């Protein structure tokens, strides 16, 4: 999947390049998360380019969040598009992870 | 393997794919284009929401069949048929893998996001009905129905579907 990482101080913003995160690439997505977590524990997942997520993609995000929180870190999401936001509402994703409207807001949340 | 064909009436579209998850995008594209080919008289925002829900439901369904019906092996064959009639979108998946009768499966109520096991819940929330059956020649068939509109639908070629109301 080749998600890119941009550092903002000690916060890593992981930009997901794919339009879809589904069962066809969820394993790649998990590997990208795992790789990012090796050097970062404060992570923002930027979903600006993602138009579709299924249960496998969602499951990978939940897995990533659990990995990070278990090691004392945290993850939040930003730039969540319409259909992805609807899925998050359906499964009550907000109970597990904070969702911000912009990358700046998400990065700032770690410094609050 | 990927083949797409339109029926003579232009109402029904068929897609033949191998049991490979890389074709999930094509299946979603077929759902979207089937809906776009029909001029449905309804609120555009409501239609967009319904199409998004259908894309999620069919993705979950095809994924489940590939992973559980064929144990993830890419050598099997799936037939996907879509059509819109009387404002109702129908999606039919036919396969010769291991059968799964979702009619008898308990659909878990998801109150928190999970790492797995959310597929059936999502399908149930996104469509009006799902029916599992066997064809006359013993193939497994799963049909999804979702109402897009209760008013007139017209195919792009100018054929009028019957009014529902």
């Amino acid at each position: 999947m080749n998600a890119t990482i941009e550092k903002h101080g000690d916060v890593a913003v992981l930009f997901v390049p794919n339009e879809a995160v589904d069962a066809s690439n969820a394993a790649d997505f998990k590997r990208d998360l795992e790789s990012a977590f090796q050097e970062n524990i404060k992570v923002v997942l930027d979903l600006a380019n993602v138009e579709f997520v299924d249960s496998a993609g969602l499951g990978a995000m939940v897995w990533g969040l659990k990995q990070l929180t278990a090691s004392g870190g945290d993850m939040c999401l930003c730039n969540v598009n319409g259909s992805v936001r609807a899925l998050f509402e359906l499964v009550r994703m907000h109970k597990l992870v904070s969702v911000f409207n912009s990358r700046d807001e998400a990065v700032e949340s770690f410094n609050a | 393997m990927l083949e797409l064909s339109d029926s003579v009436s232009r109402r029904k579209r068929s897609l033949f794919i191998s049991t490979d998850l890389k074709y999930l995008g094509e299946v979603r594209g077929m759902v979207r284009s089937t809906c776009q080919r029909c001029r449905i008289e309804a609120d555009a925002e409501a239609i967009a929401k319904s199409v998004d829900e259908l894309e999620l439901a069919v993705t979950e369904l095809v994924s489940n069949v590939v992973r559980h019906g064929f144990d993830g092996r890419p050598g099997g064959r799936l037939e996907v048929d879509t059509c819109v009639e009387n404002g109702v979108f129908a999606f039919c998946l036919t396969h010769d893998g291991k059968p799964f009768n979702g009619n008898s499966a308990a659909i878990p109520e998801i109150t928190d996001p999970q790492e797995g096991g959310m597929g059936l819940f999502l399908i149930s929330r996104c469509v009006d009905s799902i029916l599992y059956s066997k064809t006359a020649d013993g193939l497994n068939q799963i049909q999804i129905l979702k109402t897009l509109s209760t008013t007139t639908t017209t195919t792009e070629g100018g054929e009028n579907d019957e009014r529902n109301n």
Side-chain angles (χ1 to χ4, degrees):
Chain A
M1 182 172 275
N2 295 322
T4 56
I5 297 176
E6 187 177 294
K7 292 294 292 257
H8 294 255
D10 61 348
V11 180
V13 177
L14 194 70
F15 180 77
V16 182
N18 297 51
E19 286 187 12
V21 183
D22 61 17
S24 71
N25 59 14
D28 291 340
F29 178 51
K30 278 176 86 169
R31 275 192 287 275
D32 281 1
L33 290 177
E34 198 166 27
S35 174
F37 296 167
Q38 286 175 3
E39 294 181 3
N40 304 284
I41 61 167
K42 296 178 181 177
V43 176
V44 174
L45 206 55
D46 188 337
L47 300 176
N49 212 42
V50 179
E51 298 289 342
F52 180 84
V53 173
D54 72 355
S55 67
L58 191 70
M61 291 179 204
V62 173
W63 172 85
L65 187 67
K66 287 181 178 174
Q67 296 290 310
L68 268 184
T69 52
S71 56
D74 201 4
M75 183 169 81
C76 64
L77 311 177
C78 69
N79 295 324
V80 180
N81 290 311
S83 66
V84 182
R85 191 174 284 270
L87 170 66
F88 285 177
E89 286 170 7
L90 194 58
V91 299
R92 302 178 176 96
M93 192 69 164
H94 62 275
K95 290 172 74 175
L96 210 60
V97 64
S98 298
V99 179
F100 296 94
N101 289 327
S102 72
R103 181 183 287 207
D104 287 346
E105 281 179 51
V107 171
E108 279 298 311
S109 71
F110 282 104
N111 300 320
Chain B
M1 185 271 289
L2 187 150
E3 298 167 28
L4 179 66
S5 68
D6 290 323
S7 70
V8 175
S9 73
R10 301 185 67 181
R11 286 181 180 162
K12 180 184 167 188
R13 306 190 82 199
S14 298
L15 178 69
F16 299 92
I17 55 174
S18 59
T19 48
D20 193 321
L21 293 173
K22 71 181 180 184
Y23 294 121
L24 289 176
E26 274 77 10
V27 176
R28 286 195 294 273
M30 184 185 182
V31 167
R32 186 163 291 272
S33 65
T34 299
C35 293
Q36 286 170 345
R37 284 158 62 99
C38 296
R39 290 188 289 274
I40 302 162
E41 292 179 9
D43 174 55
E45 196 174 323
I47 292 292
K49 181 173 182 287
S50 292
V51 174
D52 287 344
E53 290 173 342
L54 278 167
E55 287 192 3
L56 180 58
V58 302
T59 299
E60 298 295 341
L61 181 61
V62 174
S63 297
N64 269 352
V65 167
V66 170
R67 287 184 294 183
H68 303 300
F70 293 86
D71 297 322
R73 290 190 301 273
R77 190 170 190 262
L78 303 178
E79 178 180 347
V80 174
D81 302 301
T82 58
C83 70
V84 177
E85 282 193 64
N86 300 330
V88 177
F89 179 93
F91 176 93
C92 187
L93 177 63
T94 306
H95 70 92
D96 62 353
K98 285 185 285 188
F100 172 72
N101 187 353
N103 292 328
S104 61
I107 296 172
E109 177 65 24
I110 303 292
T111 55
D112 293 294
Q114 311 284 324
E115 282 184 52
M118 291 184 287
L120 285 178
F121 167 78
L122 292 176
I123 293 171
S124 71
R125 290 305 175 95
C126 290
V127 302
D128 298 338
S129 63
I130 179 165
L131 184 67
Y132 299 81
S133 60
K134 288 271 188 190
T135 64
D137 48 355
L139 298 174
N140 303 298
Q141 203 162 59
I142 310 170
Q143 189 177 44
I144 278 175
L145 297 175
K146 186 176 181 69
T147 301
L148 299 174
S149 167
T150 54
T151 54
T152 307
T153 61
T154 308
T155 56
E156 214 167 53
E159 297 169 62
N160 292 320
D161 290 347
E162 294 171 12
R163 280 182 184 273
N164 199 31
N165 292 328

mmCIF file of all heavy atoms in Angstrom, chain A residues 46-77:
data_model
loop_
_atom_site.group_PDB
_atom_site.id
_atom_site.type_symbol
_atom_site.label_atom_id
_atom_site.label_comp_id
_atom_site.label_asym_id
_atom_site.label_seq_id
_atom_site.Cartn_x
_atom_site.Cartn_y
_atom_site.Cartn_z
ATOM 1 N N ASP A 46 -4.371 9.820 8.263
ATOM 2 C CA ASP A 46 -5.032 10.766 7.360
ATOM 3 C C ASP A 46 -5.728 9.992 6.243
ATOM 4 O O ASP A 46 -5.079 9.368 5.396
ATOM 5 C CB ASP A 46 -3.983 11.733 6.782
ATOM 6 C CG ASP A 46 -4.611 12.874 5.990
ATOM 7 O OD1 ASP A 46 -5.755 12.707 5.518
ATOM 8 O OD2 ASP A 46 -3.958 13.917 5.831
ATOM 9 N N LEU A 47 -7.075 10.062 6.237
ATOM 10 C CA LEU A 47 -7.869 9.268 5.285
ATOM 11 C C LEU A 47 -8.443 10.133 4.148
ATOM 12 O O LEU A 47 -9.437 9.751 3.524
ATOM 13 C CB LEU A 47 -9.007 8.561 6.026
ATOM 14 C CG LEU A 47 -8.573 7.586 7.136
ATOM 15 C CD1 LEU A 47 -9.803 7.014 7.856
ATOM 16 C CD2 LEU A 47 -7.731 6.451 6.578
ATOM 17 N N ALA A 48 -7.800 11.266 3.884
ATOM 18 C CA ALA A 48 -8.340 12.203 2.883
ATOM 19 C C ALA A 48 -8.549 11.559 1.518
ATOM 20 O O ALA A 48 -9.466 11.928 0.779
ATOM 21 C CB ALA A 48 -7.410 13.406 2.744
ATOM 22 N N ASN A 49 -7.711 10.599 1.176
ATOM 23 C CA ASN A 49 -7.798 9.991 -0.155
ATOM 24 C C ASN A 49 -8.697 8.756 -0.187
ATOM 25 O O ASN A 49 -8.940 8.189 -1.246
ATOM 26 C CB ASN A 49 -6.388 9.606 -0.624
ATOM 27 C CG ASN A 49 -6.240 9.709 -2.109
ATOM 28 O OD1 ASN A 49 -6.722 10.667 -2.707
ATOM 29 N ND2 ASN A 49 -5.584 8.734 -2.713
ATOM 30 N N VAL A 50 -9.170 8.342 0.979
ATOM 31 C CA VAL A 50 -9.901 7.068 1.078
ATOM 32 C C VAL A 50 -11.405 7.310 0.904
ATOM 33 O O VAL A 50 -12.018 8.043 1.672
ATOM 34 C CB VAL A 50 -9.628 6.387 2.440
ATOM 35 C CG1 VAL A 50 -10.402 5.082 2.547
ATOM 36 C CG2 VAL A 50 -8.136 6.150 2.620
ATOM 37 N N GLU A 51 -11.960 6.664 -0.107
ATOM 38 C CA GLU A 51 -13.392 6.816 -0.393
ATOM 39 C C GLU A 51 -14.207 5.618 0.081
ATOM 40 O O GLU A 51 -15.436 5.684 0.149
ATOM 41 C CB GLU A 51 -13.608 6.979 -1.906
ATOM 42 C CG GLU A 51 -12.946 8.202 -2.513
ATOM 43 C CD GLU A 51 -13.618 9.499 -2.098
ATOM 44 O OE1 GLU A 51 -14.763 9.442 -1.637
ATOM 45 O OE2 GLU A 51 -12.975 10.554 -2.226
ATOM 46 N N PHE A 52 -13.506 4.515 0.379
ATOM 47 C CA PHE A 52 -14.248 3.299 0.768
ATOM 48 C C PHE A 52 -13.451 2.488 1.778
ATOM 49 O O PHE A 52 -12.244 2.277 1.605
ATOM 50 C CB PHE A 52 -14.528 2.424 -0.469
ATOM 51 C CG PHE A 52 -15.272 1.162 -0.147
ATOM 52 C CD1 PHE A 52 -16.652 1.172 -0.035
ATOM 53 C CD2 PHE A 52 -14.593 -0.022 0.090
ATOM 54 C CE1 PHE A 52 -17.343 0.012 0.301
ATOM 55 C CE2 PHE A 52 -15.274 -1.186 0.418
ATOM 56 C CZ PHE A 52 -16.664 -1.168 0.523
ATOM 57 N N VAL A 53 -14.131 2.041 2.828
ATOM 58 C CA VAL A 53 -13.535 1.136 3.821
ATOM 59 C C VAL A 53 -14.554 0.041 4.098
ATOM 60 O O VAL A 53 -15.755 0.321 4.247
ATOM 61 C CB VAL A 53 -13.196 1.881 5.134
ATOM 62 C CG1 VAL A 53 -12.749 0.905 6.217
ATOM 63 C CG2 VAL A 53 -12.106 2.932 4.914
ATOM 64 N N ASP A 54 -14.105 -1.204 4.153
ATOM 65 C CA ASP A 54 -15.015 -2.297 4.540
ATOM 66 C C ASP A 54 -14.620 -2.811 5.928
ATOM 67 O O ASP A 54 -13.764 -2.222 6.606
ATOM 68 C CB ASP A 54 -15.024 -3.405 3.485
ATOM 69 C CG ASP A 54 -13.736 -4.216 3.478
ATOM 70 O OD1 ASP A 54 -12.783 -3.872 4.212
ATOM 71 O OD2 ASP A 54 -13.674 -5.213 2.725
ATOM 72 N N SER A 55 -15.217 -3.933 6.347
ATOM 73 C CA SER A 55 -14.963 -4.420 7.702
ATOM 74 C C SER A 55 -13.509 -4.857 7.884
ATOM 75 O O SER A 55 -12.960 -4.764 8.986
ATOM 76 C CB SER A 55 -15.905 -5.578 8.041
ATOM 77 O OG SER A 55 -15.624 -6.714 7.243
ATOM 78 N N ALA A 56 -12.865 -5.304 6.800
ATOM 79 C CA ALA A 56 -11.463 -5.710 6.904
ATOM 80 C C ALA A 56 -10.565 -4.490 7.125
ATOM 81 O O ALA A 56 -9.638 -4.522 7.951
ATOM 82 C CB ALA A 56 -11.036 -6.467 5.642
ATOM 83 N N GLY A 57 -10.844 -3.416 6.395
ATOM 84 C CA GLY A 57 -10.084 -2.180 6.584
ATOM 85 C C GLY A 57 -10.319 -1.594 7.957
ATOM 86 O O GLY A 57 -9.387 -1.146 8.633
ATOM 87 N N LEU A 58 -11.571 -1.619 8.360
ATOM 88 C CA LEU A 58 -11.933 -1.126 9.696
ATOM 89 C C LEU A 58 -11.241 -1.964 10.774
ATOM 90 O O LEU A 58 -10.706 -1.432 11.757
ATOM 91 C CB LEU A 58 -13.449 -1.215 9.863
ATOM 92 C CG LEU A 58 -14.074 -0.541 11.058
ATOM 93 C CD1 LEU A 58 -13.999 0.973 10.926
ATOM 94 C CD2 LEU A 58 -15.525 -0.974 11.177
ATOM 95 N N GLY A 59 -11.250 -3.284 10.570
ATOM 96 C CA GLY A 59 -10.610 -4.190 11.525
ATOM 97 C C GLY A 59 -9.121 -3.914 11.659
ATOM 98 O O GLY A 59 -8.551 -4.003 12.753
ATOM 99 N N ALA A 60 -8.483 -3.558 10.543
ATOM 100 C CA ALA A 60 -7.050 -3.234 10.579
ATOM 101 C C ALA A 60 -6.812 -1.980 11.418
ATOM 102 O O ALA A 60 -5.834 -1.900 12.166
ATOM 103 C CB ALA A 60 -6.522 -3.038 9.158
ATOM 104 N N MET A 61 -7.712 -1.002 11.294
ATOM 105 C CA MET A 61 -7.569 0.226 12.098
ATOM 106 C C MET A 61 -7.754 -0.076 13.583
ATOM 107 O O MET A 61 -7.022 0.436 14.434
ATOM 108 C CB MET A 61 -8.597 1.272 11.651
ATOM 109 C CG MET A 61 -8.334 1.825 10.268
ATOM 110 S SD MET A 61 -9.592 3.021 9.776
ATOM 111 C CE MET A 61 -9.456 2.932 7.987
ATOM 112 N N VAL A 62 -8.742 -0.923 13.902
ATOM 113 C CA VAL A 62 -8.974 -1.298 15.295
ATOM 114 C C VAL A 62 -7.761 -2.048 15.838
ATOM 115 O O VAL A 62 -7.302 -1.798 16.962
ATOM 116 C CB VAL A 62 -10.249 -2.169 15.420
ATOM 117 C CG1 VAL A 62 -10.414 -2.701 16.835
ATOM 118 C CG2 VAL A 62 -11.473 -1.370 14.999
ATOM 119 N N TRP A 63 -7.220 -2.960 15.029
ATOM 120 C CA TRP A 63 -6.007 -3.695 15.413
ATOM 121 C C TRP A 63 -4.872 -2.719 15.703
ATOM 122 O O TRP A 63 -4.181 -2.825 16.703
ATOM 123 C CB TRP A 63 -5.608 -4.643 14.286
ATOM 124 C CG TRP A 63 -4.282 -5.303 14.486
ATOM 125 C CD1 TRP A 63 -4.023 -6.446 15.191
ATOM 126 C CD2 TRP A 63 -3.012 -4.849 13.978
ATOM 127 N NE1 TRP A 63 -2.672 -6.723 15.150
ATOM 128 C CE2 TRP A 63 -2.043 -5.759 14.421
ATOM 129 C CE3 TRP A 63 -2.624 -3.756 13.195
ATOM 130 C CZ2 TRP A 63 -0.685 -5.615 14.106
ATOM 131 C CZ3 TRP A 63 -1.286 -3.597 12.891
ATOM 132 C CH2 TRP A 63 -0.330 -4.532 13.337
ATOM 133 N N GLY A 64 -4.669 -1.736 14.808
ATOM 134 C CA GLY A 64 -3.597 -0.764 14.971
ATOM 135 C C GLY A 64 -3.752 0.035 16.246
ATOM 136 O O GLY A 64 -2.778 0.250 16.980
ATOM 137 N N LEU A 65 -4.978 0.447 16.506
ATOM 138 C CA LEU A 65 -5.228 1.231 17.713
ATOM 139 C C LEU A 65 -4.903 0.427 18.968
ATOM 140 O O LEU A 65 -4.288 0.933 19.922
ATOM 141 C CB LEU A 65 -6.697 1.674 17.727
ATOM 142 C CG LEU A 65 -7.073 2.647 18.833
ATOM 143 C CD1 LEU A 65 -6.374 3.988 18.626
ATOM 144 C CD2 LEU A 65 -8.576 2.838 18.883
ATOM 145 N N LYS A 66 -5.290 -0.847 18.960
ATOM 146 C CA LYS A 66 -5.007 -1.710 20.120
ATOM 147 C C LYS A 66 -3.507 -1.897 20.304
ATOM 148 O O LYS A 66 -2.998 -1.916 21.427
ATOM 149 C CB LYS A 66 -5.708 -3.071 19.954
ATOM 150 C CG LYS A 66 -7.219 -2.983 20.162
ATOM 151 C CD LYS A 66 -7.859 -4.348 20.015
ATOM 152 C CE LYS A 66 -9.366 -4.277 20.271
ATOM 153 N NZ LYS A 66 -10.031 -5.555 19.998
ATOM 154 N N GLN A 67 -2.791 -2.070 19.177
ATOM 155 C CA GLN A 67 -1.338 -2.224 19.257
ATOM 156 C C GLN A 67 -0.706 -1.002 19.906
ATOM 157 O O GLN A 67 0.155 -1.106 20.781
ATOM 158 C CB GLN A 67 -0.751 -2.394 17.843
ATOM 159 C CG GLN A 67 -1.179 -3.642 17.114
ATOM 160 C CD GLN A 67 -0.591 -4.893 17.716
ATOM 161 O OE1 GLN A 67 0.605 -4.966 17.938
ATOM 162 N NE2 GLN A 67 -1.429 -5.848 18.020
ATOM 163 N N LEU A 68 -1.138 0.167 19.451
ATOM 164 C CA LEU A 68 -0.538 1.408 19.949
ATOM 165 C C LEU A 68 -0.864 1.663 21.413
ATOM 166 O O LEU A 68 0.025 2.011 22.199
ATOM 167 C CB LEU A 68 -1.041 2.592 19.117
ATOM 168 C CG LEU A 68 -0.209 3.001 17.912
ATOM 169 C CD1 LEU A 68 -0.807 4.237 17.270
ATOM 170 C CD2 LEU A 68 1.235 3.281 18.294
ATOM 171 N N THR A 69 -2.115 1.508 21.772
ATOM 172 C CA THR A 69 -2.501 1.797 23.161
ATOM 173 C C THR A 69 -1.847 0.808 24.122
ATOM 174 O O THR A 69 -1.516 1.154 25.247
ATOM 175 C CB THR A 69 -4.034 1.773 23.339
ATOM 176 O OG1 THR A 69 -4.556 0.547 22.819
ATOM 177 C CG2 THR A 69 -4.680 2.929 22.609
ATOM 178 N N ALA A 70 -1.627 -0.418 23.646
ATOM 179 C CA ALA A 70 -0.960 -1.416 24.497
ATOM 180 C C ALA A 70 0.488 -1.023 24.784
ATOM 181 O O ALA A 70 1.058 -1.425 25.799
ATOM 182 C CB ALA A 70 -1.010 -2.789 23.821
ATOM 183 N N SER A 71 1.072 -0.223 23.887
ATOM 184 C CA SER A 71 2.459 0.191 24.115
ATOM 185 C C SER A 71 2.544 1.646 24.586
ATOM 186 O O SER A 71 3.582 2.292 24.461
ATOM 187 C CB SER A 71 3.283 -0.004 22.838
ATOM 188 O OG SER A 71 2.704 0.700 21.756
ATOM 189 N N GLY A 72 1.419 2.148 25.102
ATOM 190 C CA GLY A 72 1.413 3.491 25.683
ATOM 191 C C GLY A 72 1.211 4.610 24.689
ATOM 192 O O GLY A 72 1.333 5.786 25.037
ATOM 193 N N GLY A 73 0.893 4.293 23.454
ATOM 194 C CA GLY A 73 0.680 5.308 22.434
ATOM 195 C C GLY A 73 -0.790 5.549 22.165
ATOM 196 O O GLY A 73 -1.660 5.083 22.901
ATOM 197 N N ASP A 74 -1.050 6.279 21.094
ATOM 198 C CA ASP A 74 -2.440 6.541 20.725
ATOM 199 C C ASP A 74 -2.517 6.875 19.225
ATOM 200 O O ASP A 74 -1.515 7.232 18.613
ATOM 201 C CB ASP A 74 -3.002 7.709 21.536
ATOM 202 C CG ASP A 74 -4.525 7.702 21.571
ATOM 203 O OD1 ASP A 74 -5.133 6.755 21.036
ATOM 204 O OD2 ASP A 74 -5.106 8.644 22.132
ATOM 205 N N MET A 75 -3.708 6.741 18.700
ATOM 206 C CA MET A 75 -3.924 7.026 17.284
ATOM 207 C C MET A 75 -5.234 7.785 17.128
ATOM 208 O O MET A 75 -6.192 7.523 17.874
ATOM 209 C CB MET A 75 -3.985 5.721 16.472
ATOM 210 C CG MET A 75 -4.134 5.925 14.972
ATOM 211 S SD MET A 75 -3.876 4.386 14.040
ATOM 212 C CE MET A 75 -5.482 3.607 14.212
ATOM 213 N N CYS A 76 -5.266 8.744 16.225
ATOM 214 C CA CYS A 76 -6.529 9.388 15.891
ATOM 215 C C CYS A 76 -6.645 9.470 14.368
ATOM 216 O O CYS A 76 -5.691 9.169 13.654
ATOM 217 C CB CYS A 76 -6.646 10.764 16.536
ATOM 218 S SG CYS A 76 -5.430 11.950 15.968
ATOM 219 N N LEU A 77 -7.815 9.842 13.894
ATOM 220 C CA LEU A 77 -8.081 9.868 12.459
ATOM 221 C C LEU A 77 -8.432 11.283 12.016
ATOM 222 O O LEU A 77 -8.930 12.082 12.825
ATOM 223 C CB LEU A 77 -9.262 8.944 12.120
ATOM 224 C CG LEU A 77 -9.249 7.534 12.691
ATOM 225 C CD1 LEU A 77 -10.540 6.813 12.303
ATOM 226 C CD2 LEU A 77 -8.051 6.762 12.184
#
